[in-house]
Amino acid sequence: MIDVAVIGGGAMGAATAWHLARAGRAVTVFEQFEPGHRHGASHGASRNFNVAYTEPDYLAWLRDARLLWRELEAESGAPLLQQTGIVNHGPGRDLAAAAEAIAAGGFATELLDARAAQERWPGFRFAGTVLHTPDAGRLNADAAVTAFLAGAQARGARVAWRTRVTGIDVRGDDEVHLQVEDADGARTVRARRVVTTAGAWTGKTLYGVPGPALPVLRVTQEQPAHFTPLDPAAPWPGFNHIPAADDPATAWFAAGVYGMATPGEGIKAGWHAAGPEIDPDRRSYLPDPALTASLVRYAREWLPGVDSTRFTEVTCTYTSTPDARFVLERVGPVVVGAGFSGHGFKFTPVIGRTLAALSAD
Ligand SMILES: Cc1cc2nc3c(=O)[nH]c(=O)nc-3n(C[C@H](O)[C@H](O)[C@H](O)COP(=O)(O)OP(=O)(O)OC[C@H]3O[C@@H](n4cnc5c(N)ncnc54)[C@H](O)[C@@H]3O)c2cc1C
């Protein structure tokens, strides 16, 4: 019998396996696709380590996450978190109040007027106050997932690639039967604990399993794009642009905007949670043309430092709860981590730690 079976080898499953293996637990990760696949939420070379949160619990997590990212970097030898700073702007947030909360949470802040910010970061157009958080940065998502799994495997963890869990049968407090399928066919695997970090497939994977009552999980296909910078030497911090809901000047925005520079790929920009609802097993992987057109308009009007006609798009899945809070729960031998939407990556090592702890006896 397996001690802990982790369903899903994306960021959250990989981090959970890393913490479990470090704690001396025998863990097997089941991942339906191949290493480095592009079907879920954790691929690509860039994610914002944005610290512009006002909730004390998120700020506490960010402090721990930063330490754990550095620990994983030291262990793997891979640079994962680059401190690029992030600029936050737009009338949709009280930036002065946010600056106070962020500073109380232990992160540096700086408020600039639009002119001063424009001079420092000419690639952007600013129309008001700018909140700069210099401690924020950029994470390399692909390298992070690889480092977590390598660290877990170096401590004895197994990763079963191209193996889909098709059924979960809870037999008792300490016994779960998993139906799994791979190239050799279907079989049953027994496990003492199961951690489900199945991302967009969470609802399907847990269907009919006695476990935590889940909030509605909305699965969408998101489509950021990398735009070509006009001046490759220009400074680009990460960015968040939050419009005011009632501002006619930005009524055409599909949502708030986030972005960062991705080395070798350009300036990434994306609408946050504006994509269509999808079934992860029946998705087109094709960007929505209307969202593409509005994002190109955004780049043209608000990112003067990029060529809005030259861009490449990527698609990716968000799994979101109604209040954007994460699901981290356990019932019996089943632990669930879900709902990481478009803001979970920065917290990955802390979420992995929480899920590993939840699967303890
Ligand atoms: C476009 C985009 C931009 C983002 N930007 C940021 C950002 O700037 N900052 C930030 O903090 N966060 C960001 N995020 C959010 C972050 O990337 C996600 O929250 C995080 O990657 C979720 O990880 P996960 O492990 O839950 O999901 P996934 O990576 O999707 O992992 C789930 C895995 O489970 C596997 N699986 C599912 N069902 C089964 C099964 N039955 N059997 C076997 N395997 C199974 C899947 O194949 C998949 O590999 C962004 C997300 C997207 C999509």
Side-chain angles (χ1 to χ4, degrees), residues 184-205:
D184 301 329
R187 65 185 187 282
T188 299
V189 171
R190 295 186 314 135
R192 228 171 51 78
R193 296 281 175 273
V194 172
V195 178
T196 307
T197 43
W201 291 264
T202 299
K204 291 186 176 199
T205 304

PDB file of all heavy atoms in Angstrom, residues 184-205:
ATOM      1  N   ASP A 184      -0.330   0.560 -19.979  1.00  0.00           N
ATOM      2  CA  ASP A 184      -0.457  -0.893 -19.734  1.00  0.00           C
ATOM      3  C   ASP A 184      -1.876  -1.299 -19.389  1.00  0.00           C
ATOM      4  O   ASP A 184      -2.141  -2.471 -19.094  1.00  0.00           O
ATOM      5  CB  ASP A 184       0.494  -1.325 -18.598  1.00  0.00           C
ATOM      6  CG  ASP A 184       1.938  -0.995 -18.954  1.00  0.00           C
ATOM      7  OD1 ASP A 184       2.249  -1.032 -20.159  1.00  0.00           O
ATOM      8  OD2 ASP A 184       2.708  -0.657 -18.032  1.00  0.00           O
ATOM      9  N   GLY A 185      -2.792  -0.353 -19.316  1.00  0.00           N
ATOM     10  CA  GLY A 185      -4.183  -0.667 -19.004  1.00  0.00           C
ATOM     11  C   GLY A 185      -4.602  -0.131 -17.647  1.00  0.00           C
ATOM     12  O   GLY A 185      -3.952   0.753 -17.097  1.00  0.00           O
ATOM     13  N   ALA A 186      -5.693  -0.686 -17.115  1.00  0.00           N
ATOM     14  CA  ALA A 186      -6.253  -0.207 -15.848  1.00  0.00           C
ATOM     15  C   ALA A 186      -5.864  -1.143 -14.715  1.00  0.00           C
ATOM     16  O   ALA A 186      -5.695  -2.348 -14.920  1.00  0.00           O
ATOM     17  CB  ALA A 186      -7.768  -0.118 -15.966  1.00  0.00           C
ATOM     18  N   ARG A 187      -5.694  -0.588 -13.529  1.00  0.00           N
ATOM     19  CA  ARG A 187      -5.422  -1.397 -12.336  1.00  0.00           C
ATOM     20  C   ARG A 187      -5.864  -0.618 -11.107  1.00  0.00           C
ATOM     21  O   ARG A 187      -6.182   0.566 -11.197  1.00  0.00           O
ATOM     22  CB  ARG A 187      -3.938  -1.757 -12.239  1.00  0.00           C
ATOM     23  CG  ARG A 187      -3.013  -0.569 -12.037  1.00  0.00           C
ATOM     24  CD  ARG A 187      -1.541  -0.949 -12.070  1.00  0.00           C
ATOM     25  NE  ARG A 187      -0.679   0.163 -11.705  1.00  0.00           N
ATOM     26  CZ  ARG A 187      -0.369   1.152 -12.521  1.00  0.00           C
ATOM     27  NH1 ARG A 187      -0.878   1.180 -13.745  1.00  0.00           N
ATOM     28  NH2 ARG A 187       0.420   2.145 -12.123  1.00  0.00           N
ATOM     29  N   THR A 188      -5.865  -1.296  -9.962  1.00  0.00           N
ATOM     30  CA  THR A 188      -6.234  -0.657  -8.700  1.00  0.00           C
ATOM     31  C   THR A 188      -4.987  -0.507  -7.849  1.00  0.00           C
ATOM     32  O   THR A 188      -4.172  -1.434  -7.767  1.00  0.00           O
ATOM     33  CB  THR A 188      -7.288  -1.494  -7.953  1.00  0.00           C
ATOM     34  OG1 THR A 188      -8.450  -1.575  -8.770  1.00  0.00           O
ATOM     35  CG2 THR A 188      -7.651  -0.863  -6.618  1.00  0.00           C
ATOM     36  N   VAL A 189      -4.840   0.675  -7.262  1.00  0.00           N
ATOM     37  CA  VAL A 189      -3.708   0.949  -6.373  1.00  0.00           C
ATOM     38  C   VAL A 189      -4.285   1.314  -5.012  1.00  0.00           C
ATOM     39  O   VAL A 189      -5.248   2.069  -4.933  1.00  0.00           O
ATOM     40  CB  VAL A 189      -2.889   2.142  -6.920  1.00  0.00           C
ATOM     41  CG1 VAL A 189      -1.854   2.593  -5.922  1.00  0.00           C
ATOM     42  CG2 VAL A 189      -2.256   1.806  -8.255  1.00  0.00           C
ATOM     43  N   ARG A 190      -3.711   0.767  -3.963  1.00  0.00           N
ATOM     44  CA  ARG A 190      -4.211   1.094  -2.618  1.00  0.00           C
ATOM     45  C   ARG A 190      -3.318   2.135  -1.958  1.00  0.00           C
ATOM     46  O   ARG A 190      -2.088   2.067  -2.078  1.00  0.00           O
ATOM     47  CB  ARG A 190      -4.261  -0.170  -1.759  1.00  0.00           C
ATOM     48  CG  ARG A 190      -5.267  -1.201  -2.276  1.00  0.00           C
ATOM     49  CD  ARG A 190      -5.430  -2.382  -1.374  1.00  0.00           C
ATOM     50  NE  ARG A 190      -4.143  -2.897  -0.923  1.00  0.00           N
ATOM     51  CZ  ARG A 190      -3.890  -3.244   0.357  1.00  0.00           C
ATOM     52  NH1 ARG A 190      -4.830  -3.078   1.275  1.00  0.00           N
ATOM     53  NH2 ARG A 190      -2.702  -3.744   0.707  1.00  0.00           N
ATOM     54  N   ALA A 191      -3.946   3.101  -1.272  1.00  0.00           N
ATOM     55  CA  ALA A 191      -3.179   4.156  -0.597  1.00  0.00           C
ATOM     56  C   ALA A 191      -3.786   4.462   0.764  1.00  0.00           C
ATOM     57  O   ALA A 191      -5.008   4.321   0.937  1.00  0.00           O
ATOM     58  CB  ALA A 191      -3.161   5.423  -1.437  1.00  0.00           C
ATOM     59  N   ARG A 192      -2.948   4.878   1.704  1.00  0.00           N
ATOM     60  CA  ARG A 192      -3.422   5.233   3.049  1.00  0.00           C
ATOM     61  C   ARG A 192      -4.008   6.654   3.045  1.00  0.00           C
ATOM     62  O   ARG A 192      -4.988   6.934   3.716  1.00  0.00           O
ATOM     63  CB  ARG A 192      -2.241   5.163   4.027  1.00  0.00           C
ATOM     64  CG  ARG A 192      -2.534   4.401   5.302  1.00  0.00           C
ATOM     65  CD  ARG A 192      -1.260   4.187   6.087  1.00  0.00           C
ATOM     66  NE  ARG A 192      -0.522   5.414   6.271  1.00  0.00           N
ATOM     67  CZ  ARG A 192      -0.843   6.353   7.170  1.00  0.00           C
ATOM     68  NH1 ARG A 192      -1.875   6.172   7.963  1.00  0.00           N
ATOM     69  NH2 ARG A 192      -0.125   7.454   7.280  1.00  0.00           N
ATOM     70  N   ARG A 193      -3.370   7.536   2.285  1.00  0.00           N
ATOM     71  CA  ARG A 193      -3.845   8.912   2.165  1.00  0.00           C
ATOM     72  C   ARG A 193      -3.841   9.292   0.696  1.00  0.00           C
ATOM     73  O   ARG A 193      -2.975   8.824  -0.061  1.00  0.00           O
ATOM     74  CB  ARG A 193      -2.927   9.895   2.913  1.00  0.00           C
ATOM     75  CG  ARG A 193      -2.862   9.698   4.414  1.00  0.00           C
ATOM     76  CD  ARG A 193      -4.080  10.303   5.100  1.00  0.00           C
ATOM     77  NE  ARG A 193      -4.069  10.010   6.521  1.00  0.00           N
ATOM     78  CZ  ARG A 193      -4.585   8.912   7.070  1.00  0.00           C
ATOM     79  NH1 ARG A 193      -5.147   7.983   6.297  1.00  0.00           N
ATOM     80  NH2 ARG A 193      -4.538   8.731   8.380  1.00  0.00           N
ATOM     81  N   VAL A 194      -4.770  10.155   0.306  1.00  0.00           N
ATOM     82  CA  VAL A 194      -4.806  10.675  -1.065  1.00  0.00           C
ATOM     83  C   VAL A 194      -4.852  12.193  -0.990  1.00  0.00           C
ATOM     84  O   VAL A 194      -5.674  12.755  -0.254  1.00  0.00           O
ATOM     85  CB  VAL A 194      -6.039  10.154  -1.835  1.00  0.00           C
ATOM     86  CG1 VAL A 194      -6.173  10.859  -3.182  1.00  0.00           C
ATOM     87  CG2 VAL A 194      -5.940   8.648  -2.028  1.00  0.00           C
ATOM     88  N   VAL A 195      -3.958  12.847  -1.727  1.00  0.00           N
ATOM     89  CA  VAL A 195      -3.994  14.307  -1.850  1.00  0.00           C
ATOM     90  C   VAL A 195      -4.395  14.620  -3.289  1.00  0.00           C
ATOM     91  O   VAL A 195      -3.708  14.199  -4.226  1.00  0.00           O
ATOM     92  CB  VAL A 195      -2.639  14.949  -1.528  1.00  0.00           C
ATOM     93  CG1 VAL A 195      -2.713  16.465  -1.725  1.00  0.00           C
ATOM     94  CG2 VAL A 195      -2.181  14.610  -0.115  1.00  0.00           C
ATOM     95  N   THR A 196      -5.504  15.321  -3.452  1.00  0.00           N
ATOM     96  CA  THR A 196      -5.983  15.649  -4.799  1.00  0.00           C
ATOM     97  C   THR A 196      -5.601  17.076  -5.135  1.00  0.00           C
ATOM     98  O   THR A 196      -6.118  18.006  -4.526  1.00  0.00           O
ATOM     99  CB  THR A 196      -7.520  15.502  -4.853  1.00  0.00           C
ATOM    100  OG1 THR A 196      -7.852  14.209  -4.375  1.00  0.00           O
ATOM    101  CG2 THR A 196      -8.042  15.697  -6.251  1.00  0.00           C
ATOM    102  N   THR A 197      -4.669  17.222  -6.061  1.00  0.00           N
ATOM    103  CA  THR A 197      -4.269  18.540  -6.569  1.00  0.00           C
ATOM    104  C   THR A 197      -4.426  18.469  -8.083  1.00  0.00           C
ATOM    105  O   THR A 197      -3.456  18.521  -8.819  1.00  0.00           O
ATOM    106  CB  THR A 197      -2.816  18.837  -6.174  1.00  0.00           C
ATOM    107  OG1 THR A 197      -2.023  17.654  -6.390  1.00  0.00           O
ATOM    108  CG2 THR A 197      -2.678  19.233  -4.724  1.00  0.00           C
ATOM    109  N   ALA A 198      -5.650  18.307  -8.513  1.00  0.00           N
ATOM    110  CA  ALA A 198      -5.964  17.977  -9.913  1.00  0.00           C
ATOM    111  C   ALA A 198      -6.332  19.193 -10.751  1.00  0.00           C
ATOM    112  O   ALA A 198      -6.785  19.052 -11.886  1.00  0.00           O
ATOM    113  CB  ALA A 198      -7.093  16.952  -9.937  1.00  0.00           C
ATOM    114  N   GLY A 199      -6.179  20.407 -10.187  1.00  0.00           N
ATOM    115  CA  GLY A 199      -6.423  21.624 -10.956  1.00  0.00           C
ATOM    116  C   GLY A 199      -7.791  21.641 -11.610  1.00  0.00           C
ATOM    117  O   GLY A 199      -8.815  21.402 -10.953  1.00  0.00           O
ATOM    118  N   ALA A 200      -7.812  21.853 -12.927  1.00  0.00           N
ATOM    119  CA  ALA A 200      -9.073  21.984 -13.673  1.00  0.00           C
ATOM    120  C   ALA A 200      -9.897  20.707 -13.654  1.00  0.00           C
ATOM    121  O   ALA A 200     -11.092  20.713 -13.962  1.00  0.00           O
ATOM    122  CB  ALA A 200      -8.763  22.389 -15.110  1.00  0.00           C
ATOM    123  N   TRP A 201      -9.277  19.570 -13.320  1.00  0.00           N
ATOM    124  CA  TRP A 201      -9.952  18.274 -13.315  1.00  0.00           C
ATOM    125  C   TRP A 201     -10.471  17.904 -11.925  1.00  0.00           C
ATOM    126  O   TRP A 201     -10.924  16.785 -11.723  1.00  0.00           O
ATOM    127  CB  TRP A 201      -8.964  17.202 -13.805  1.00  0.00           C
ATOM    128  CG  TRP A 201      -8.602  17.310 -15.255  1.00  0.00           C
ATOM    129  CD1 TRP A 201      -9.174  16.635 -16.294  1.00  0.00           C
ATOM    130  CD2 TRP A 201      -7.574  18.108 -15.817  1.00  0.00           C
ATOM    131  NE1 TRP A 201      -8.571  16.996 -17.483  1.00  0.00           N
ATOM    132  CE2 TRP A 201      -7.578  17.906 -17.219  1.00  0.00           C
ATOM    133  CE3 TRP A 201      -6.633  19.019 -15.306  1.00  0.00           C
ATOM    134  CZ2 TRP A 201      -6.700  18.536 -18.090  1.00  0.00           C
ATOM    135  CZ3 TRP A 201      -5.758  19.659 -16.170  1.00  0.00           C
ATOM    136  CH2 TRP A 201      -5.805  19.418 -17.538  1.00  0.00           C
ATOM    137  N   THR A 202     -10.375  18.829 -10.958  1.00  0.00           N
ATOM    138  CA  THR A 202     -10.746  18.498  -9.571  1.00  0.00           C
ATOM    139  C   THR A 202     -12.184  18.007  -9.467  1.00  0.00           C
ATOM    140  O   THR A 202     -12.452  16.967  -8.848  1.00  0.00           O
ATOM    141  CB  THR A 202     -10.535  19.718  -8.659  1.00  0.00           C
ATOM    142  OG1 THR A 202      -9.141  20.066  -8.688  1.00  0.00           O
ATOM    143  CG2 THR A 202     -10.960  19.439  -7.234  1.00  0.00           C
ATOM    144  N   GLY A 203     -13.094  18.735 -10.073  1.00  0.00           N
ATOM    145  CA  GLY A 203     -14.507  18.350  -9.982  1.00  0.00           C
ATOM    146  C   GLY A 203     -14.743  16.943 -10.523  1.00  0.00           C
ATOM    147  O   GLY A 203     -15.432  16.125  -9.904  1.00  0.00           O
ATOM    148  N   LYS A 204     -14.104  16.647 -11.660  1.00  0.00           N
ATOM    149  CA  LYS A 204     -14.273  15.315 -12.276  1.00  0.00           C
ATOM    150  C   LYS A 204     -13.629  14.234 -11.412  1.00  0.00           C
ATOM    151  O   LYS A 204     -14.191  13.169 -11.198  1.00  0.00           O
ATOM    152  CB  LYS A 204     -13.597  15.296 -13.652  1.00  0.00           C
ATOM    153  CG  LYS A 204     -14.274  16.133 -14.705  1.00  0.00           C
ATOM    154  CD  LYS A 204     -13.601  15.901 -16.045  1.00  0.00           C
ATOM    155  CE  LYS A 204     -14.328  16.655 -17.134  1.00  0.00           C
ATOM    156  NZ  LYS A 204     -14.018  16.142 -18.479  1.00  0.00           N
ATOM    157  N   THR A 205     -12.420  14.521 -10.926  1.00  0.00           N
ATOM    158  CA  THR A 205     -11.653  13.509 -10.191  1.00  0.00           C
ATOM    159  C   THR A 205     -12.328  13.155  -8.876  1.00  0.00           C
ATOM    160  O   THR A 205     -12.300  12.005  -8.437  1.00  0.00           O
ATOM    161  CB  THR A 205     -10.224  14.032  -9.950  1.00  0.00           C
ATOM    162  OG1 THR A 205      -9.656  14.374 -11.222  1.00  0.00           O
ATOM    163  CG2 THR A 205      -9.345  13.002  -9.274  1.00  0.00           C
TER     164      THR A 205
END
